[in-house]
Amino acid sequence: MTSFLTHRAHVHDARLPLRRRHSALRTCITLFAPYGFRATYHHLTLSAAIPRRLEADPDALVRAVEELHEARVLWLARAEEYTAQRRAEKRAGRRAVVNPRPWWLRSWWEGPNHAWYEDPFRHPSLRLPEYVRRQNAILDGADLPGCPACGDERPLVSNSTGHGWVELCRGCACVLAPCPCGQRHRFVPETPFNWKGIWQRAHMRDDGMPNPHWPGQPVGCGTGGLSVADQLGGVRSSDRCPPCR
């Protein structure tokens, strides 16, 4: 498989057809996706304002791949430090891996509390470099306020599991207080999503703004929709920041 940097260069190459450049962006996401492939792609369509018709703003693909690249550079630097640390620990006879493992080594099935693995709309609203910086800081022992994933400091939202309650982050629906039964419960999207529609950016308009008629309106500032956690918590439209009203 060719490298991330090779496909990044293809995204930048204005001589290539837009579909080819979009495909190169897709490959970059398969090689590095902090929120998982589907949620990372959905995030980039919003943060880079990728329109439904790529011809309306070809530079949006460049904005998307550059955000991804910036986050990847931060991850690579931290991953190299971790590799050097593990080599030193092994030479000293400490072969056991500290639990939990670094965030980039955890498989999706190790993080069922992350809603965006089940619902690509429910990723943090942070730009990818900010998310990576936050996760690296937590790995280094920093005690950051708010949700570990997105930093949201608003009161948690209680959600019933049928026999108990879990506490969800209001910003990204990450489970911060598990069910008393001790079992992990899958996050069930309140609005079923259509991946083909997301891939074709049916949730976006031609001007790069979110489509207000899309049934699974994305969360986060500027999208105009309420998150599932906000709906559960009874948040009113007037409670949102002005761009989201």
Side-chain angles (χ1 to χ4, degrees), residues 25-222:
L25 173 63
R26 177 191 186 279
T27 302
C28 287
I29 299 173
T30 64
L31 296 173
F32 180 67
Y35 297 152
F37 176 78
R38 295 183 301 179
T40 298
Y41 177 78
H42 178 263
H43 164 81
L44 290 173
T45 63
L46 295 176
S47 65
I50 303 178
R52 185 167 187 173
R53 289 182 58 255
L54 295 176
E55 294 79 6
D57 186 6
D59 290 339
L61 297 176
V62 175
R63 294 193 296 270
V65 80
E66 284 309 295
E67 178 180 341
L68 190 66
H69 172 64
E70 182 182 349
R72 182 174 177 269
V73 169
L74 295 171
W75 161 68
L76 283 175
R78 187 61 185 86
E80 290 174 359
E81 292 177 6
Y82 178 77
T83 299
Q85 173 188 331
R86 286 294 298 142
R87 286 173 178 166
E89 291 174 349
K90 289 180 180 180
R91 285 195 296 268
R94 299 191 301 274
R95 305 190 66 85
V97 179
V98 177
N99 191 38
R101 295 189 298 169
W103 59 271
W104 64 84
L105 293 179
R106 301 172 200 164
S107 302
W108 69 268
W109 57 83
E110 294 182 80
N113 292 339
H114 290 168
W116 54 87
Y117 287 123
E118 305 291 345
D119 182 352
F121 290 137
R122 299 314 317 273
H123 53 76
S125 59
L126 298 175
R127 294 185 73 255
L128 297 179
E130 294 306 315
Y131 175 78
V132 171
R133 287 190 184 96
R134 183 174 183 84
Q135 298 311 302
N136 286 346
I138 292 174
L139 178 62
D140 292 333
D143 184 16
L144 302 181
C147 170
C150 70
D152 195 303
E153 299 184 58
R154 292 175 295 174
L156 303 183
V157 176
S158 297
N159 190 28
S160 174
T161 62
H163 57 269
W165 295 85
V166 295
E167 299 292 325
L168 304 177
C169 168
R170 192 176 293 271
C172 67
C174 200
V175 178
L176 301 182
C179 182
C181 72
Q183 299 296 318
R184 293 183 175 183
H185 299 276
R186 293 184 60 184
F187 182 88
V188 179
E190 184 154 301
T191 302
F193 65 87
N194 182 331
W195 167 240
K196 183 177 180 180
I198 297 175
W199 175 246
Q200 296 175 342
R201 298 169 306 287
H203 58 286
M204 303 297 289
R205 303 186 318 204
D206 286 347
D207 60 0
M209 295 297 292
N211 179 0
H213 304 296
W214 181 254
Q217 189 60 259
V219 304
C221 184

Side-chain angles (χ1 to χ4, degrees), residues 154 170 217-227 230-231 235-245:
R154 292 175 295 174
R170 192 176 293 271
Q217 189 60 259
V219 304
C221 184
T223 64
L226 281 176
S227 69
D230 281 344
Q231 294 168 15
V235 174
R236 300 165 299 177
S237 176
S238 58
D239 291 332
R240 291 176 287 178
C241 61
C244 291
R245 292 175 187 166

